[in-house]
Amino acid sequence: MSTAPEGYDPHAFEPFAVTVDLAVFTVRGGRLHVLLVERGEDPYKGHWALPGGFVLPRESAESAARRELAEETGLTESTVSALHLEQLRTYSDPDRDPRMRVVSVAYAALVPDLPEPRGGGDAAHARWWDAGALGALAFDHDRILADAHDRIGAKLEYTCLATAFCPSEFTLGELQQVYETVWGVELDRPNFRRKVLTTPGFVQAVEGSPRRTGGRGKPAALYRAGAATALHPPLLRPEGRST
Amino acid sequence: MSTAPEGYDPHAFEPFAVTVDLAVFTVRGGRLHVLLVERGEDPYKGHWALPGGFVLPRESAESAARRELAEETGLTESTVSALHLEQLRTYSDPDRDPRMRVVSVAYAALVPDLPEPRGGGDAAHARWWDAGALGALAFDHDRILADAHDRIGAKLEYTCLATAFCPSEFTLGELQQVYETVWGVELDRPNFRRKVLTTPGFVQAVEGSPRRTGGRGKPAALYRAGAATALHPPLLRPEGRST
DNA sequence: CACCTTTATAGTCAAGGTGACTATTAAGGA
DNA sequence: TCCTTAATAGTCACCTTGACTATAAAGGTG
């Protein structure tokens, strides 16, 4: 329970530090990308790590995650507040940081394709990486990243989350590519259309029925994210395995 | 990131306490029950709360959760290690505990119907409560409990988790009652049988085809939990809404 | 400017899963 | 012995889905 024993002295033992770690995903060029920062000091100096940082004394973990997300991407706080950010799980192995006891609350964030982070300060060492071609990350961040990828893949099945990877107006082909990229499979285009369009509230056509021209084939209709959040029945991935 | 700034002094500021809170569920008499402990001191003296406690300096949150679960139920550690225990999420509102900054990692545990906790010490004030008839709990435990209930309900849809509520040998009627109790709906018996029996690895018949006699109607065949963990395709609840 | 490639969109068809039911079996209780 | 209760067997129509085929409308190429 959240109950301190009587006479408990907060300063009596070596304290826990509480941090947040962010797995920030985007789909870029048909590949899943993750935002990473390069560590400038030991341990793991020169390795890449998930962005994150300390939870401040008067903020919640979620606030800390949004603050860090804004700092690392160079986006404004108001832009960041519209992004999908979801708590993943908490990592608390006593030896996960060799310096001290650090308990970290991990978050997964989904963003549409963004330019390279060009903010000053923290964002200076941040870069997008292809999630399928990563070396070993610092700390237990490989594990966190893998858990985040699994979770996002599973949530695509039964939520309307995929639209969070898309800009405000998108084509069904772009939405399909989100599924294909995160799941690493190819989907049948007509069947995907049918499923998305017959699910009430998943997407809504942009008024005036504009089409995106300039591409290779027939111009595609544009849609916005709909009001629905859940997908009933779910859109199961082929040979579906969850975690 | 999990990186302490250079020269970071762990004792420099008021530390965070890290605790675990447990939502321990069982199905008893067709009703969902939760294990609660009565608080003996302020704040919330006299209120009921989720069992839990501090994460010790050299243990992970999961270890702490299992340790607390053993203490509060009076079960042995080896028994507890076989129970289903799953991390729910972390609650970190700065004001969730009026005394100090407490970040709590919540876990949900599923147990078969157990006797009243009769262990000494911590278990002395622990009791099973009908989850549908609770007053206000201490701290933010109402919210944690609601989140836990939602999560368990959702996981019944696409995992074989329901068997965790059952003893090692159970009838399909008992398994069905788990679903009905957690979801608060009635299911069609023949359809439920069909779904469970045609899902490979959900349950396996006990060898020798024993039957449970002594009840009112025709004796039911006994089953054990199978090797499968996921349910594909899922067993969706009627008018299904997830979270 | 025909023609080809590419992508979007429309539609068909069969298989499988599910919801709603009916029927039968086998126990305990009045 | 009959009635009630619960388990089990089986039926049938509907809906969703996977696998396909066909058509429309753009850009690119000779």
Side-chain angles (χ1 to χ4, degrees):
Chain A
M1 65 199 141
S2 323
T3 105
E6 315 90 290
Y8 175 76
D9 174 5
H11 294 272
F13 57 85
E14 174 161 9
F16 288 63
V18 178
T19 64
V20 292
D21 285 307
L22 277 74
V24 187
F25 291 108
T26 196
V27 172
R28 171 178 273 194
R31 307 280 305 170
L32 187 67
H33 283 68
V34 196
L35 188 67
L36 298 179
V37 297
E38 187 172 15
R39 285 188 54 77
E41 65 211 51
D42 273 324
Y44 298 102
K45 180 170 181 173
H47 284 67
W48 291 80
L50 297 178
F54 282 86
V55 176
L56 301 180
R58 292 294 311 157
E59 72 181 352
S60 68
E62 164 140 1
S63 299
R66 289 207 186 272
R67 178 175 51 73
E68 293 288 343
L69 184 54
E71 290 173 9
E72 306 284 2
T73 58
L75 298 173
T76 66
E77 299 251 356
S78 68
T79 308
V80 160
S81 69
L83 297 177
H84 179 87
L85 182 70
E86 144 174 352
Q87 188 179 314
L88 190 60
R89 52 161 295 171
T90 293
Y91 296 82
S92 62
D93 187 273
D95 301 310
R96 60 183 296 280
D97 188 313
R99 293 161 299 179
M100 65 174 293
R101 186 70 202 264
V102 178
V103 168
S104 183
V105 186
Y107 285 80
L110 309 184
V111 305
D113 192 5
L114 295 175
E116 282 300 320
R118 64 321 171 220
D122 290 348
H125 301 100
R127 243 200 69 182
W128 292 106
W129 285 85
D130 186 324
L134 292 179
L137 303 184
F139 305 103
D140 52 0
H141 291 189
D142 292 303
R143 165 103 188 280
I144 297 177
L145 187 57
D147 288 348
H149 191 167
D150 284 352
R151 171 79 71 90
I152 297 306
K155 290 205 95 170
L156 289 190
E157 292 193 324
Y158 57 93
T159 70
C160 298
L161 201 55
T163 54
F165 281 105
C166 296
S168 67
E169 298 190 350
F170 53 87
T171 69
L172 295 188
E174 291 165 352
L175 186 65
Q176 181 175 347
Q177 199 171 50
V178 168
Y179 278 89
E180 293 179 330
T181 302
V182 175
W183 287 348
V185 298
E186 290 209 334
L187 302 176
D188 180 81
R189 202 187 304 263
N191 290 341
F192 180 81
R193 285 180 68 72
R194 179 180 56 191
K195 177 65 180 175
V196 171
L197 293 177
T198 62
T199 298
F202 193 169
V203 298
Q204 60 179 94
V206 175
E207 54 279 18
S209 303
R211 293 179 165 265
R212 172 162 304 171
T213 185
R216 285 277 276 169
K218 177 175 175 176
L222 291 175
Y223 295 85
R224 296 181 189 279
T229 60
L231 213 47
H232 274 280
L235 201 172
L236 300 177
R237 69 189 106 178
E239 302 305 292
R241 81 213 62 64
S242 297
T243 302
Chain B
M1 65 200 139
S2 322
T3 105
E6 317 91 288
Y8 175 75
D9 174 6
H11 294 272
F13 56 85
E14 173 162 9
F16 288 61
V18 178
T19 63
V20 292
D21 284 309
L22 276 72
V24 187
F25 291 108
T26 196
V27 172
R28 168 180 274 193
R31 306 280 305 171
L32 187 66
H33 283 68
V34 196
L35 187 67
L36 298 178
V37 296
E38 187 172 15
R39 285 189 54 78
E41 65 212 50
D42 272 323
Y44 297 103
K45 179 171 182 171
H47 283 67
W48 291 79
L50 298 178
F54 282 86
V55 177
L56 302 180
R58 291 296 309 158
E59 73 182 351
S60 68
E62 165 140 1
S63 299
R66 288 206 186 273
R67 178 175 51 73
E68 291 289 342
L69 184 53
E71 290 174 10
E72 306 284 3
T73 58
L75 298 174
T76 65
E77 298 251 357
S78 67
T79 307
V80 160
S81 69
L83 297 177
H84 179 86
L85 182 70
E86 145 175 353
Q87 188 179 315
L88 191 61
R89 51 162 295 171
T90 293
Y91 296 82
S92 61
D93 187 272
D95 301 310
R96 59 184 296 282
D97 188 314
R99 294 160 299 179
M100 64 175 293
R101 188 69 202 264
V102 178
V103 168
S104 184
V105 185
Y107 284 80
L110 310 184
V111 304
D113 193 5
L114 296 175
E116 282 298 321
R118 60 330 171 210
D122 290 348
H125 300 101
R127 241 200 69 180
W128 291 106
W129 284 85
D130 186 323
L134 292 179
L137 303 185
F139 305 103
D140 53 0
H141 291 190
D142 292 303
R143 165 103 187 280
I144 297 176
L145 187 57
D147 288 348
H149 191 167
D150 285 351
R151 171 80 70 90
I152 297 305
K155 289 206 95 170
L156 289 190
E157 292 193 323
Y158 56 92
T159 69
C160 298
L161 201 55
T163 54
F165 281 104
C166 297
S168 66
E169 297 189 350
F170 53 87
T171 69
L172 294 187
E174 290 164 353
L175 187 64
Q176 180 174 348
Q177 199 171 51
V178 169
Y179 277 90
E180 292 180 331
T181 301
V182 174
W183 286 349
V185 298
E186 292 208 334
L187 302 177
D188 179 81
R189 202 187 305 262
N191 290 342
F192 180 81
R193 285 180 67 72
R194 179 180 56 190
K195 176 66 180 176
V196 171
L197 293 178
T198 62
T199 299
F202 194 168
V203 297
Q204 61 179 91
V206 175
E207 54 279 18
S209 303
R211 293 178 164 267
R212 172 163 305 170
T213 185
R216 284 279 276 169
K218 177 175 175 176
L222 292 175
Y223 296 86
R224 297 181 189 278
T229 61
L231 213 47
H232 274 281
L235 202 170
L236 299 177
R237 69 190 105 179
E239 302 305 291
R241 81 214 61 68
S242 297
T243 301

